[in-house]
Amino acid sequence: QVQLVESGGGLVQAGGSLRLSCAASGRTFSGGAVAWFRQTPGKEREIVASISRSGSTIFYADSVKGRSTISRDNAKNTLYLQINTLKPEDTAVYYCAASRASYTLDVRRYEYWGQGTQVTVSS
């Protein structure tokens, strides 16, 4: 089992930046891919960014590409997401997730989820 706890969300003005963190406990998450998803009311959860077990493969959704950085520190069992130039449309609950697969973009293959952290971007 892996327990995930997100932090770093909050209210920020458009154009600002946030750094989300996800601390893992229990079984180490270094054995698989990890990712950030986000969800707004009435919409499906969407992937924001993912990083493979080794860190060599990274994916960004088009909506955040060029202004976001995902990183993982396996020694600290922590996942990060830096988002710059925030937009009101980035407002969502952000979830971190861990998979036993070495790399995947399929939400169904992420077995472990955090409780989410709210990010609200004001215009």
Side-chain angles (χ1 to χ4, degrees):
Q1 289 290 330
V2 177
Q3 291 79 44
L4 305 173
V5 179
E6 303 95 337
S7 61
L11 175 63
V12 63
Q13 287 189 333
S17 299
L18 275 179
R19 188 192 196 203
L20 305 180
S21 299
C22 175
S25 60
R27 186 178 67 85
T28 179
F29 75 5
S30 63
V34 284
W36 289 96
F37 292 79
R38 67 186 182 187
Q39 189 170 25
T40 55
K43 292 188 177 180
E44 291 188 357
R45 194 167 295 187
E46 63 174 359
I47 191 166
V48 177
S50 68
I51 184 168
S52 64
R53 177 177 57 194
S54 66
S56 61
T57 304
I58 290 175
F59 166 86
Y60 294 104
D62 288 343
S63 56
V64 300
K65 191 177 297 182
R67 57 189 183 92
S68 297
T69 302
I70 186 172
S71 60
R72 65 189 296 170
D73 185 335
N74 288 341
K76 295 183 178 180
N77 259 3
T78 304
L79 174 69
Y80 304 98
L81 180 68
Q82 175 79 31
I83 310 179
N84 302 318
T85 320
L86 282 159
K87 306 174 182 180
E89 50 263 44
D90 292 319
T91 296
V93 177
Y94 285 72
Y95 300 89
C96 69
S99 174
R100 286 174 287 185
S102 59
Y103 180 67
T104 181
L105 301 181
D106 187 345
V107 64
R108 296 168 297 180
R109 298 194 67 188
Y110 283 87
E111 297 93 351
Y112 307 104
W113 293 84
Q115 82 290 347
T117 185
Q118 176 71 47
V119 171
T120 302
V121 183
S122 63
S123 57

